[in-house]
C-alpha cells in the first residue's frame, strides 16, 4: 500500500512592527478584532478594506458610518479599560500626539493587550503608518494599494502646480478665540506645502498660540478656518475685531474647511490637498474637474 507523505505545515511567522514610541508590537496572527482609540485610524483601516474588523469605537467616532453601530468604550483620552477588555481586541491603535494619550496606553499594555501608538505629522509618516497597519492585519498588499492610490493623487496635484512661481502665504486657524494656528511640522503644514502654499507661521511646532499682532505681522494671502471639535462655531473672520486689516480678509480669500479632513492624518488628507490647491490656484483646474 502506497504511503502518502504530506508536508508538515510550518508555523506562520509572527507579525512584528515598531511603533512611533519605539515599542515593538508582535502578533502571532493577523489582527481580527481591532479598536482604534483615535478616529483617523478607523478611517485608515476601513480604507484598507478591513472595516468589519473594527469591534468598538470611542464616543466621538462617526466614520466610517458603520462604526456608529459598534459599542462605545469611552473617549480617546479616557477609554474604559474594562469595556475594552470585554471586546477581546487583539490590536489597539492609539494616537500619541498628546502626552495624556499615553496614560491609557500604559494601562492597556499592563493588561497584556497589544497597543500600537502612532504620531504622523506628514504624508510620509502617514504612509508608514498605513504600511505598518498592513503588516499587523496581514494585508500588506491592500495597504500598499491604498498608499499607491494616495501618492498618485498627490502626484497629480504636484504636476498641476509645476511652473507656478508664486507660493501664497497661508494661515491655518485651528481655534478662535484664544487664537491657535497650525505650525509647519504638522499634517496641516504638509497639506499647505503640497497645495502650493507656504505656511506663514514658520515654526517647527505643530500648534502655535499667538496674538493679533503676530497674525497681522505674518501677512497671510489666504486664511483657512477649520470647523470641528477644536473650533466648533467659528465666527467669520470678516466679522471679527481687527481682522479687516488682513489682506486675506479684505480680498475675501477665506476658506472654511472640515477639521477632520484637514487635521486628521488619514486617507482624506489627500482630499484636503486637492481642495486647498484648487482654492489657491483655481485657474489651473478646468471647470469640469471641480
Amino acid at each position: 500500500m502506497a504511503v502518502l507523505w504530506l508536508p508538515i505545515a510550518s508555523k506562520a511567522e509572527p507579525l512584528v512592527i515598531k511603533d512611533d514610541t519605539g515599542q515593538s508590537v508582535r502578533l502571532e496572527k493577523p489582527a481580527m478584532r481591532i479598536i482604534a482609540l483615535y478616529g483617523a485610524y478607523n478611517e485608515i483601516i476601513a480604507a484598507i478594506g478591513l472595516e468589519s474588523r473594527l469591534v468598538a469605537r470611542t464616543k466621538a467616532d462617526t466614520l466610517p458610518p458603520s462604526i456608529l453601530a459598534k459599542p462605545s468604550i469611552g473617549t480617546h483620552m479616557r477609554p474604559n479599560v474594562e469595556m475594552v477588555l470585554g471586546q477581546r481586541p487583539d490590536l489597539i491603535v492609539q494616537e500619541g500626539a498628546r502626552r495624556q494619550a499615553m496614560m491609557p496606553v500604559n494601562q492597556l499594555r499592563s493588561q497584556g493587550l497589544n497597543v500600537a501608538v502612532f504620531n504622523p505629522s506628514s504624508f510620509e509618516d502617514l504612509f508608514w503608518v498605513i504600511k505598518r497597519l498592513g503588516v499587523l492585519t496581514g494585508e500588506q498588499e491592500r495597504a500598499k494599494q491604498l498608499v499607491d492610490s494616495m501618492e498618485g493623487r498627490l502626484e497629480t496635484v504636484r504636476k498641476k502646480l509645476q511652473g507656478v512661481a508664486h507660493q501664497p502665504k497661508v494661515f491655518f486657524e485651528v481655534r478662535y478665540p484664544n487664537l491657535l494656528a497650525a505650525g509647519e511640522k504638522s499634517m496641516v503644514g504638509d497639506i499647505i506645502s503640497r497645495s502650493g502654499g507656504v505656511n506663514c507661521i514658520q515654526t517647527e511646532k505643530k500648534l502655535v498660540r499667538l496674538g493679533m499682532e503676530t497674525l497681522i505681522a505674518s501677512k497671510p494671502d489666504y486664511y483657512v478656518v477649520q470647523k470641528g471639535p477644536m473650533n466648533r462655531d467659528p465666527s467669520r473672520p470678516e466679522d471679527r475685531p481687527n481682522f479687516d486689516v488682513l489682506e486675506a480678509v479684505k480680498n475675501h480669500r477665506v476658506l472654511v474647511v472640515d477639521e477632520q479632513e484637514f487635521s486628521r492624518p488619514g486617507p482624506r488628507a489627500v482630499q484636503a490637498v486637492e481642495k486647498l490647491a484648487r482654492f489657491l490656484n483655481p485657474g489651473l483646474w478646468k471647470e469640469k474637474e471641480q
Side-chain angles (χ1 to χ4, degrees):
M1 181 177 182
V3 177
L4 180 62
W5 293 96
L6 297 176
I8 300 174
S10 60
K11 186 178 180 182
E13 291 291 322
L15 309 171
V16 184
I17 62 109
K18 186 168 285 189
D19 73 6
D20 290 345
T21 67
Q23 179 83 22
S24 289
V25 181
R26 177 189 175 104
L27 303 181
E28 297 304 319
K29 58 183 180 179
M32 301 300 294
R33 297 184 61 82
I34 305 169
I35 297 177
L37 297 180
Y38 183 65
Y41 301 132
N42 287 322
E43 293 188 54
I44 290 172
I45 290 164
I48 293 174
L50 306 177
E51 191 172 328
S52 62
R53 299 193 194 184
L54 298 169
V55 297
R57 64 182 179 90
T58 66
K59 185 179 179 181
D61 293 338
T62 59
L63 293 173
S66 65
I67 204 76
L68 292 170
K70 310 290 183 180
S72 172
I73 46 80
T75 66
H76 157 51
M77 306 295 281
R78 294 183 178 179
N80 184 307
V81 175
E82 289 186 1
M83 293 181 73
V84 171
L85 288 168
Q87 293 302 315
R88 298 175 289 106
D90 45 26
L91 177 63
I92 298 167
V93 189
Q94 175 66 305
E95 166 66 28
R98 296 173 66 182
R99 185 180 302 173
Q100 300 96 311
M102 291 304 297
M103 293 180 62
V105 168
N106 295 331
Q107 287 180 298
L108 294 166
R109 283 176 174 164
S110 72
Q111 297 292 324
L113 296 175
N114 297 303
V115 186
V117 180
F118 301 117
N119 185 20
S121 57
S122 68
F123 277 99
E124 290 306 317
D125 292 345
L126 175 57
F127 296 152
W128 183 221
V129 170
I130 294 170
K131 290 174 181 177
R132 284 178 288 176
L133 286 173
V135 171
L136 293 175
T137 56
E139 296 290 351
Q140 294 95 319
E141 184 56 35
R142 287 192 185 188
K144 181 181 181 300
Q145 289 172 1
L146 174 58
V147 170
D148 289 347
S149 172
M150 294 173 69
E151 287 182 325
R153 290 169 65 183
L154 290 174
E155 178 63 10
T156 297
V157 173
R158 189 192 68 79
K159 288 180 178 178
K160 284 276 190 181
L161 295 173
Q162 277 183 329
V164 177
H166 177 61
Q167 291 182 299
K169 296 170 68 177
V170 180
F171 183 90
F172 190 95
E173 175 185 297
V174 175
R175 185 185 65 210
Y176 178 87
N178 300 320
L179 192 59
L180 191 65
E184 284 187 289
K185 298 300 182 181
S186 65
M187 197 71 220
V188 168
D190 203 9
I191 287 170
I192 291 172
S193 176
R194 290 174 184 262
S195 301
V198 174
N199 192 336
C200 62
I201 302 302
Q202 297 286 305
T203 173
E204 292 196 354
K205 294 181 179 179
K206 287 187 176 183
L207 298 173
V208 186
R209 292 184 177 87
L210 67 161
M212 195 66 205
E213 288 184 4
T214 304
L215 171 58
I216 294 171
S218 71
K219 297 181 180 180
D221 299 306
Y222 291 84
Y223 196 101
V224 181
V225 180
Q226 74 170 10
K227 186 173 183 180
M230 290 189 70
N231 209 24
R232 291 194 177 278
D233 192 22
S235 58
R236 300 191 315 163
E238 52 265 43
D239 295 335
R240 301 172 185 175
N242 302 316
F243 272 68
D244 58 353
V245 304
L246 298 173
E247 290 296 321
V249 175
K250 285 194 287 188
N251 293 321
H252 308 291
R253 293 173 176 168
V254 176
L255 179 67
V256 179
V257 301
D258 180 354
E259 174 185 327
Q260 294 184 346
E261 182 180 48
F262 274 70
S263 292
R264 270 188 176 181
R268 288 186 294 157
V270 173
Q271 186 173 308
V273 170
E274 295 166 339
K275 185 175 294 183
L276 184 56
R278 284 181 170 88
F279 182 63
L280 300 181
N281 294 281
L284 295 179
W285 274 264
K286 295 177 183 177
E287 187 131 344
K288 65 182 181 180
E289 294 178 337
Q290 306 235 0

